Amino acid sequence: MTKFIIEGGTALQGSLAVKGAKNSMLPIMAAAVLSSSTEDIVLQNIPSIFDMHVMTEILRSLGAKVKFADHTLRINVRDLHGFTIPEALMREMRSSIFLMGPLLARFGKVGVTYPGGCSIGPRPIDLHFKGLEALGAKISEEGDFIIASAPRLQGTEIHLDYPSVGATENLIMAAVLAQGKTTVNNAAQEPEIVDLQNFLNAMGADVRGAGTETLRIQGVESVGRCTHRIIPDRIVAGTYLMAAAITGGELLLQDIIPSHLDAVVAKMKEAGVLFQVAESSIKVTESKLKAVETLCTLPYPGFPTDLQAPMMALLTLAQGKSKITESVFEARFRHAEELNRLQAKIAVQGRTAYIQGVEKLFGAEVEATDLRAGAALILAGLAAEGQTVVHNIKYIDRGYENIENDLQKLGAKITRI
Ligand code: UD1
């Protein structure tokens, strides 16, 4: 079992470039199966992270040829034959569910099992199913498998009960080849949905409205190929900004889209972090951490749930009492207990965490309980006095490409053992 050993107390200094977004790349990789082209789809700015490799294996199991080199993926779906995703791969990653919409659209049939993924509380997929049924799919359970079938999906009007990111993406991908027009109301508005729309349209689809709450998809007969560059990962960017701030360092983050981080920068400013924001970069210049009265995670453009844990780490050292409410996921506070092992003062009541800022954190042995919780523990370890050991770092590798290399470049004392 690998772990990170961190000697805390060094202020991070330097600059970093941010690679492509995991949450963009995964649905876009899945969307590749929609293509009728015999040529490669080329995806650039791809991070080499665990979840990318799992999605690659899933595509290969369906007959796709996938090559990865120099942060570029070449996907060829000419010989795609399968429409059932192996159970073992489904369980590896929740995002495997993204293949349901595009495979159904392409083959008229798809077989999946319930997906796995990080343990951040219950994550139902009812909205995916409801939407696909509205498009005309028949969904039934056969043993462990969920089978969806529809000779050809039919465009319709869908109103999502909640702006689920995954359901929105799944339904866009399903509707691309449907007959007629589909409208998705109360759609998620995340930048990754805009990226998916841009990718699909570059392949010949007709999707409009991404980034707003109403999406309109005019079904087309087929889509071809394209070369597409994945947008920068705003969650990785946010994590690194917080790493600089918690250590009292100075960091220039390049190759990012600052507007994707508006809510994050605003909250960090409230917490006493000073920034210089430019066209494609953000610089943390100084931090005098102070508590934030209230922070509530929300769908985009609100504060992202994926940065709730790193932000909590930051607030453990902020003067005063902060309050965080997690409104997106039911049980996403497991990192609070781990942060308390470093002598943070966090009390959790239901979906709210109360953080009493402390003067110092002290190194301890902790366990990453999910991807972003793991990142939060690294941040806390970087700021803590003494040595912190983070176990279970396989979670962190799901979403950060060699996080230790990036942090070492900035002067952090972190080693993978
Ligand atoms: C995506 C992101 C994840 C992020 C989350 C919220 C990817 C690969 N993952 O996950 O990093 O934390 O958005 O920003 O893009 N829900 C239902 N029924 C459903 C679907 C969702 O009740 O059918 C609920 C979930 O349980 C959760 C909430 O809706 O409470 C948000 O989930 P959703 O937006 O779907 O997140 P994911 O797409 O799984």
Side-chain angles (χ1 to χ4, degrees):
M1 289 291 263
T2 49
K3 57 191 174 189
F4 282 133
I5 311 272
I6 304 166
E7 295 294 338
T10 308
L12 302 189
Q13 297 284 347
S15 64
L16 279 181
V18 175
K19 294 198 187 66
K22 165 176 97 65
N23 289 353
S24 238
M25 171 193 74
L26 293 171
I28 286 177
M29 286 177 77
V33 308
L34 288 165
S35 171
S36 324
S37 175
T38 56
E39 290 172 34
D40 290 357
I41 289 164
V42 181
L43 301 177
Q44 300 164 330
N45 202 24
I46 297 286
S48 178
I49 51 176
F50 180 80
D51 279 10
M52 185 275 286
H53 296 292
V54 176
M55 189 56 99
T56 295
E57 283 318 306
I58 295 178
L59 290 174
R60 284 185 181 144
S61 77
L62 299 169
K65 305 258 182 310
V66 188
K67 287 187 212 137
F68 178 66
D70 297 331
H71 293 107
T72 300
L73 269 172
R74 305 187 80 89
I75 304 174
N76 193 305
V77 294
R78 184 182 49 208
D79 300 324
L80 208 65
H81 50 67
F83 48 80
T84 303
I85 302 169
E87 190 179 349
L89 291 170
M90 272 307 283
R91 295 213 187 282
E92 282 284 353
M93 182 180 65
R94 182 176 164 82
S95 301
S96 47
I97 198 71
F98 288 141
L99 278 151
M100 207 169 173
L103 280 176
L104 182 59
R106 172 88 192 262
F107 289 109
K109 196 167 180 183
V110 59
V112 298
T113 55
Y114 280 98
C118 275
S119 52
I120 54 175
R123 292 176 84 174
I125 42 177
D126 54 313
L127 300 173
H128 299 241
F129 290 171
K130 260 169 94 173
L132 292 174
E133 280 173 340
L135 285 162
K138 298 260 174 305
I139 299 181
S140 59
E141 292 201 22
E142 289 177 20
D144 283 344
F145 274 88
I146 304 154
I147 308 289
S149 58
R152 182 163 182 196
L153 295 168
Q154 301 293 321
T156 187
E157 181 148 355
I158 298 167
H159 189 98
L160 288 176
D161 294 334
Y162 181 89
S164 151
V165 178
T168 301
E169 292 167 337
N170 227 337
L171 296 175
I172 297 174
M173 294 188 277
V176 158
L177 299 180
Q179 194 161 39
K181 184 171 149 189
T182 300
T183 306
V184 183
N185 297 312
N186 198 28
Q189 301 175 40
E190 270 65 4
E192 291 75 21
I193 291 170
V194 179
D195 205 25
L196 176 64
Q197 168 178 284
N198 290 342
F199 168 76
L200 290 167
N201 289 348
M203 289 213 298
D206 183 355
V207 184
R208 288 161 208 221
T212 74
E213 59 186 22
T214 308
L215 288 159
R216 292 190 176 82
I217 306 118
Q218 179 64 50
V220 294
E221 290 303 315
S222 66
V223 292
R225 66 157 302 280
C226 68
T227 295
H228 179 81
R229 188 174 174 82
I230 302 289
I231 57 167
D233 197 312
R234 64 195 165 97
I235 305 301
V236 170
T239 306
Y240 288 165
L241 294 175
M242 290 172 193
I246 198 173
T247 61
E250 221 183 291
L251 168 67
L252 175 68
L253 263 194
Q254 292 161 315
D255 294 352
I256 58 172
I257 302 176
S259 60
H260 291 172
L261 285 149
D262 279 352
V264 176
V265 166
K267 221 12 116 178
M268 288 179 71
K269 276 186 182 162
E270 221 179 292
V273 184
L274 301 185
F275 293 95
Q276 283 168 6
V277 180
E279 204 182 319
S280 62
S281 68
I282 300 184
K283 185 173 185 184
V284 171
T285 55
E286 212 186 320
S287 313
K288 288 200 179 74
L289 297 178
K290 55 181 198 281
V292 301
E293 214 167 281
T294 179
L295 183 167
C296 183
T297 64
L298 285 169
Y300 191 85
F303 190 95
T305 171
D306 286 348
L307 285 172
Q308 178 256 106
M311 189 72 187
M312 185 183 288
L314 186 68
L315 293 174
T316 60
L317 288 171
Q319 200 182 11
K321 200 166 189 172
S322 302
K323 183 175 128 186
I324 298 183
T325 303
E326 172 55 60
S327 86
V328 179
F329 288 105
E330 247 175 79
R332 201 177 192 179
F333 277 146
R334 290 178 66 194
H335 43 280
E337 200 180 311
E338 298 301 310
L339 288 169
N340 283 345
R341 288 186 207 275
L342 281 90
Q343 298 187 33
K345 279 198 184 140
I346 308 166
V348 173
Q349 276 171 25
R351 284 182 161 213
T352 301
Y354 299 90
I355 304 131
Q356 175 63 57
V358 293
E359 285 281 315
K360 265 186 185 178
L361 295 173
F362 295 90
E365 296 231 355
V366 289
E367 200 170 317
T369 50
D370 70 66
L371 162 58
R372 309 301 170 186
L377 296 174
I378 292 181
L379 266 52
L382 291 173
E385 196 174 294
Q387 188 180 80
T388 295
V389 182
V390 183
H391 294 277
N392 241 346
I393 62 174
K394 60 174 199 245
Y395 282 122
I396 303 169
D397 292 333
R398 299 185 76 124
Y400 298 86
E401 178 184 308
N402 295 326
I403 193 169
E404 72 275 26
N405 289 0
D406 280 347
L407 295 172
Q408 282 161 2
K409 271 187 221 152
L410 303 175
K413 298 193 179 100
I414 173 168
T415 328
R416 183 186 290 257
I417 304 273

